Amino acid sequence: MVGKTWAVARLTLIEALRRKVFAVLLLFTLALLSSALFFPSMELSGRLRLVESWALRAAGLFAAIVGLFLAGFALPSDFEQKRIYLLVTKPVPKSIVFLGRFVGYAALLTVFLGVMGLLIALF
């Protein structure tokens, strides 16, 4: 049961990483964080607090956008590319498919927040 769930989650994670939404939102995050450099009138501690608050808000907002866009368009694209028929013909219960999708998107958001954390730390 765990093997089937992980197989569906791995498939979900791989296909979600292939989409361009993930990379585009990381670029928006980098652009948002770099805009704090253009506030020369603030002292360094104020600028760091601003970057910290923007980074936390951007992480929450962009993680929600990634989750909504990728999960919302997953099922229609599965029907268009006929991947759903591959899953349906296998002896996999619907609950395992749902749980695997959930675990896959949770892993994707973990990767997304980890990359954002690294970008923020480097910044």
Side-chain angles (χ1 to χ4, degrees), residues 22 26 59 107-121:
F22 187 73
L26 283 176
L108 175 75
L109 290 179
T110 302
V111 168
F112 182 74
L113 289 175
V115 170
M116 282 187 65
L118 285 174
L119 285 175
I120 293 165

mmCIF file of all heavy atoms in Angstrom, residues 22 26 59 107-121:
data_model
loop_
_atom_site.group_PDB
_atom_site.id
_atom_site.type_symbol
_atom_site.label_atom_id
_atom_site.label_comp_id
_atom_site.label_asym_id
_atom_site.label_seq_id
_atom_site.Cartn_x
_atom_site.Cartn_y
_atom_site.Cartn_z
ATOM 1 N N PHE A 22 6.415 26.489 -11.362
ATOM 2 C CA PHE A 22 7.362 26.396 -10.260
ATOM 3 C C PHE A 22 8.525 27.369 -10.456
ATOM 4 O O PHE A 22 8.859 28.153 -9.580
ATOM 5 C CB PHE A 22 7.853 24.950 -10.169
ATOM 6 C CG PHE A 22 8.703 24.637 -8.989
ATOM 7 C CD1 PHE A 22 8.143 24.537 -7.732
ATOM 8 C CD2 PHE A 22 10.055 24.416 -9.138
ATOM 9 C CE1 PHE A 22 8.929 24.236 -6.641
ATOM 10 C CE2 PHE A 22 10.847 24.109 -8.060
ATOM 11 C CZ PHE A 22 10.279 24.018 -6.808
ATOM 12 N N LEU A 26 9.468 31.108 -8.539
ATOM 13 C CA LEU A 26 10.768 31.325 -7.897
ATOM 14 C C LEU A 26 11.428 32.602 -8.418
ATOM 15 O O LEU A 26 12.057 33.337 -7.658
ATOM 16 C CB LEU A 26 11.675 30.126 -8.117
ATOM 17 C CG LEU A 26 11.383 28.911 -7.250
ATOM 18 C CD1 LEU A 26 12.292 27.766 -7.642
ATOM 19 C CD2 LEU A 26 11.524 29.227 -5.788
ATOM 20 N N ALA A 59 6.594 33.636 0.670
ATOM 21 C CA ALA A 59 6.643 32.172 0.757
ATOM 22 C C ALA A 59 5.240 31.602 0.925
ATOM 23 O O ALA A 59 4.868 30.639 0.239
ATOM 24 C CB ALA A 59 7.536 31.742 1.919
ATOM 25 N N ALA A 107 5.094 17.102 -1.055
ATOM 26 C CA ALA A 107 6.537 17.049 -1.288
ATOM 27 C C ALA A 107 6.989 18.190 -2.195
ATOM 28 O O ALA A 107 8.047 18.788 -1.981
ATOM 29 C CB ALA A 107 6.917 15.702 -1.898
ATOM 30 N N LEU A 108 6.175 18.516 -3.192
ATOM 31 C CA LEU A 108 6.510 19.624 -4.080
ATOM 32 C C LEU A 108 6.555 20.945 -3.319
ATOM 33 O O LEU A 108 7.474 21.745 -3.503
ATOM 34 C CB LEU A 108 5.500 19.724 -5.222
ATOM 35 C CG LEU A 108 5.704 20.922 -6.134
ATOM 36 C CD1 LEU A 108 6.886 20.685 -7.053
ATOM 37 C CD2 LEU A 108 4.466 21.228 -6.907
ATOM 38 N N LEU A 109 5.571 21.179 -2.473
ATOM 39 C CA LEU A 109 5.570 22.418 -1.688
ATOM 40 C C LEU A 109 6.724 22.446 -0.706
ATOM 41 O O LEU A 109 7.273 23.511 -0.418
ATOM 42 C CB LEU A 109 4.229 22.585 -0.979
ATOM 43 C CG LEU A 109 3.052 22.888 -1.903
ATOM 44 C CD1 LEU A 109 1.765 23.001 -1.100
ATOM 45 C CD2 LEU A 109 3.282 24.149 -2.705
ATOM 46 N N THR A 110 7.128 21.296 -0.202
ATOM 47 C CA THR A 110 8.303 21.237 0.670
ATOM 48 C C THR A 110 9.563 21.619 -0.098
ATOM 49 O O THR A 110 10.392 22.385 0.398
ATOM 50 C CB THR A 110 8.444 19.825 1.262
ATOM 51 O OG1 THR A 110 7.252 19.499 1.971
ATOM 52 C CG2 THR A 110 9.628 19.734 2.194
ATOM 53 N N VAL A 111 9.698 21.104 -1.302
ATOM 54 C CA VAL A 111 10.841 21.469 -2.146
ATOM 55 C C VAL A 111 10.797 22.956 -2.471
ATOM 56 O O VAL A 111 11.814 23.650 -2.406
ATOM 57 C CB VAL A 111 10.850 20.616 -3.437
ATOM 58 C CG1 VAL A 111 11.837 21.157 -4.459
ATOM 59 C CG2 VAL A 111 11.156 19.178 -3.113
ATOM 60 N N PHE A 112 9.617 23.465 -2.800
ATOM 61 C CA PHE A 112 9.463 24.883 -3.136
ATOM 62 C C PHE A 112 9.861 25.773 -1.963
ATOM 63 O O PHE A 112 10.624 26.727 -2.128
ATOM 64 C CB PHE A 112 8.014 25.154 -3.545
ATOM 65 C CG PHE A 112 7.748 26.567 -3.950
ATOM 66 C CD1 PHE A 112 8.186 27.040 -5.168
ATOM 67 C CD2 PHE A 112 7.056 27.425 -3.112
ATOM 68 C CE1 PHE A 112 7.943 28.348 -5.551
ATOM 69 C CE2 PHE A 112 6.813 28.728 -3.484
ATOM 70 C CZ PHE A 112 7.262 29.191 -4.705
ATOM 71 N N LEU A 113 9.369 25.443 -0.767
ATOM 72 C CA LEU A 113 9.709 26.252 0.399
ATOM 73 C C LEU A 113 11.186 26.104 0.768
ATOM 74 O O LEU A 113 11.816 27.063 1.236
ATOM 75 C CB LEU A 113 8.816 25.875 1.579
ATOM 76 C CG LEU A 113 7.363 26.306 1.438
ATOM 77 C CD1 LEU A 113 6.542 25.773 2.600
ATOM 78 C CD2 LEU A 113 7.244 27.814 1.346
ATOM 79 N N GLY A 114 11.761 24.945 0.533
ATOM 80 C CA GLY A 114 13.188 24.763 0.778
ATOM 81 C C GLY A 114 14.044 25.609 -0.155
ATOM 82 O O GLY A 114 15.015 26.237 0.271
ATOM 83 N N VAL A 115 13.671 25.627 -1.435
ATOM 84 C CA VAL A 115 14.411 26.453 -2.403
ATOM 85 C C VAL A 115 14.240 27.927 -2.070
ATOM 86 O O VAL A 115 15.199 28.704 -2.138
ATOM 87 C CB VAL A 115 13.950 26.139 -3.848
ATOM 88 C CG1 VAL A 115 14.509 27.139 -4.839
ATOM 89 C CG2 VAL A 115 14.355 24.738 -4.222
ATOM 90 N N MET A 116 13.036 28.320 -1.692
ATOM 91 C CA MET A 116 12.816 29.720 -1.296
ATOM 92 C C MET A 116 13.633 30.062 -0.060
ATOM 93 O O MET A 116 14.180 31.156 0.040
ATOM 94 C CB MET A 116 11.335 29.990 -1.063
ATOM 95 C CG MET A 116 10.564 30.152 -2.325
ATOM 96 S SD MET A 116 8.863 30.654 -2.064
ATOM 97 C CE MET A 116 9.078 32.256 -1.356
ATOM 98 N N GLY A 117 13.704 29.143 0.888
ATOM 99 C CA GLY A 117 14.510 29.371 2.079
ATOM 100 C C GLY A 117 15.979 29.549 1.739
ATOM 101 O O GLY A 117 16.666 30.411 2.306
ATOM 102 N N LEU A 118 16.476 28.741 0.796
ATOM 103 C CA LEU A 118 17.867 28.897 0.362
ATOM 104 C C LEU A 118 18.096 30.231 -0.340
ATOM 105 O O LEU A 118 19.108 30.889 -0.126
ATOM 106 C CB LEU A 118 18.257 27.747 -0.566
ATOM 107 C CG LEU A 118 18.512 26.413 0.090
ATOM 108 C CD1 LEU A 118 18.749 25.330 -0.965
ATOM 109 C CD2 LEU A 118 19.695 26.496 1.021
ATOM 110 N N LEU A 119 17.150 30.627 -1.185
ATOM 111 C CA LEU A 119 17.261 31.926 -1.848
ATOM 112 C C LEU A 119 17.277 33.065 -0.825
ATOM 113 O O LEU A 119 18.052 34.006 -0.952
ATOM 114 C CB LEU A 119 16.122 32.132 -2.833
ATOM 115 C CG LEU A 119 16.184 31.383 -4.149
ATOM 116 C CD1 LEU A 119 14.924 31.605 -4.949
ATOM 117 C CD2 LEU A 119 17.402 31.841 -4.937
ATOM 118 N N ILE A 120 16.428 32.969 0.167
ATOM 119 C CA ILE A 120 16.361 34.011 1.186
ATOM 120 C C ILE A 120 17.638 34.037 1.994
ATOM 121 O O ILE A 120 18.176 35.112 2.308
ATOM 122 C CB ILE A 120 15.118 33.795 2.068
ATOM 123 C CG1 ILE A 120 13.857 34.030 1.263
ATOM 124 C CG2 ILE A 120 15.138 34.705 3.290
ATOM 125 C CD1 ILE A 120 12.596 33.508 1.915
ATOM 126 N N ALA A 121 18.165 32.864 2.339
ATOM 127 C CA ALA A 121 19.400 32.812 3.113
ATOM 128 C C ALA A 121 20.586 33.366 2.312
ATOM 129 O O ALA A 121 21.445 34.045 2.856
ATOM 130 C CB ALA A 121 19.687 31.382 3.544
#
